[in-house]
Structures are given as structure tokens and as C-alpha cells.
Amino acid sequence: MTADLLSDRSVIFNPDAKPVLHTVGEERTPLLIIDDLLLNPDAMVKQACRPPEFSTNNQDFYPGKRKAAPLDYDEQLIQRYSALIRSSYGIGQNKQPNTLLSAFSLTMTKAEALRPIQMLPHFDSPSSDQFAVVHYLFSDPLGGTSLYRHRESRFESITHERLPLYGKRLKQQAYGMQLHQNPAYTNGSSPLFEQLHSIEPKFNRAILYPSNSLHSADISADNKLTDNPATGRLTLNSFILFK
């Protein structure tokens, strides 16, 4: 069955997609890159353009809006790639994968509206058993994703043990830099963080990395960000927790 014959409401993973495993930084963090993830990626963009509308969640710090992805997307994602995640990250068979989030995400906040925490590389969870998936669904050069190292501590990931020290020190550093006076997206190395590895965005490319890794989207031109999912920086983001 060819992609143009597929229903634009179906989610069809590409059985021939070839994941590539990289290791990043001093902590040798595994990073998976999967090109051509879906057979019908254009159908996913069409779904993102349909109602309901994207909305802002004031409970998180995502610089844009989100809405739920199709249920069968995360079900198939786990079914197809959970074994690879286990082998790549040493996850035991006693822990089962669960989806915490699967949502279309549209980066659209202008730099002048960013909060200080949105101007720095971040981590999603200190858990070593949670993983983030970013599926790029745009073609224009709107920015990929980079992994970072905190220069002073040399932390590349933030675990439960590291969090108290790191959180306190980063707050001090961010306050000292007066980030609110010069709002900007992260895009490369800075006095506080060293960019370790940058992944170029590619339509229908997905990347997977530990949620506790310090990372950030690469946004160099926020004037190109739009609230239109057909032309904006549209991604499909998932969090998978093994427990």
C-alpha cells in the first residue's frame, strides 16, 4: 500500500525506518535518530491542522501551544520501539513502557515574551527511566534540537541526586545574568552552557533521548515562528516512562 492511498486519519509507521544510535558527551548519552518514521507524515500534519485548536498549558514551560496526538500514534510508537529503547538504555524487562504525553506541539512564543527558564537548556524529568521523543513535522529551517553541558558542574543530565545542587546554582547564575533584560532563545554555546551535539531538523525525522538530558530547541529566528501548524515549527512530542 502506498502512502498516497492511506487514510489521512491513520497513523502508519514505516517498517523500513532505520534507527541510528549516537553517543553524546562525556556521559556517553545514547541518542537515537530515526528518519522516515511514518509512511504518511503529511496526514499527521493535516490532523494537526484540524480542530480542536492548539492551546497553552500554564502548568509547563513549553514556549508555544499543544494539543493531543492520535491515540494510535503512541501505542504504535511503544509497540515498535520499546525493545530498541530497552537495549539502547539498559532497561530491564521488569519495567513496562507508559506514555505520559503524546501531543502536537507548535513553538510560537516570541523571544520578548519568554520567561527566564525558557531561555536556558532544560531537562524534562530527573528520572533515568523516562525518554523524550521529538518528531519533526516541518520542512522549513526553523531549528532542530541540541544537547548541552552545564559548564560549571559539567552535568549533562540532571538526576534526582544532582537536582538540589544544580537547581540552586542555576537559579543564582540566571539571576546574576539578568536574563529578563535580554530575552532570547538558546541557540548554541553560552557562558553557562556548552552545546554538545546538534540535530538538524528533517521532515519526518524523530529523535529520542533521556528526559533528564539537558537540551533545547535551536531557535535562531523567532520572527519565522507562526501559529499555523501547516507552516510553523510543528513537532509531535512524546514522553515514555518505563516503570
Side-chain angles (χ1 to χ4, degrees), residues 1-18:
M1 183 182 294
T2 59
D4 58 320
L5 295 178
L6 298 171
S7 166
D8 65 1
R9 291 187 180 273
S10 61
V11 179
I12 310 295
F13 277 72
N14 180 7
D16 296 322
K18 298 294 190 297

Side-chain angles (χ1 to χ4, degrees), residues 60-104:
D60 68 22
F61 298 106
Y62 179 73
K65 296 183 178 182
R66 284 178 165 149
K67 72 174 182 178
L71 290 176
D72 54 342
Y73 179 92
D74 59 276
E75 291 172 355
Q76 291 190 54
L77 181 69
I78 285 177
Q79 181 180 13
R80 182 166 294 277
Y81 290 108
S82 60
L84 178 61
I85 297 173
R86 288 185 191 279
S87 62
S88 300
Y89 295 94
I91 304 296
Q93 294 296 324
N94 60 317
K95 296 182 178 181
Q96 300 305 313
N98 300 271
T99 302
L100 302 181
L101 170 78
S102 185
F104 290 114

Side-chain angles (χ1 to χ4, degrees), residues 172-232:
Q172 293 171 340
Q173 291 179 314
Y175 181 79
M177 292 184 67
Q178 297 291 291
L179 293 175
H180 64 282
Q181 294 185 2
N182 296 288
Y185 276 98
T186 295
N187 187 32
S189 295
S190 70
L192 297 185
F193 291 91
E194 178 185 356
Q195 184 184 53
L196 298 177
H197 187 82
S198 182
I199 304 100
E200 289 294 323
K202 179 181 177 183
F203 184 66
N204 203 25
R205 164 177 285 174
I207 64 173
L208 185 149
Y209 52 86
S211 289
N212 63 10
S213 293
L214 290 168
H215 63 279
S216 179
D218 302 322
I219 307 295
S220 59
D222 68 304
N223 62 311
K224 294 182 179 180
L225 299 178
T226 172
D227 60 0
N228 183 352
T231 57

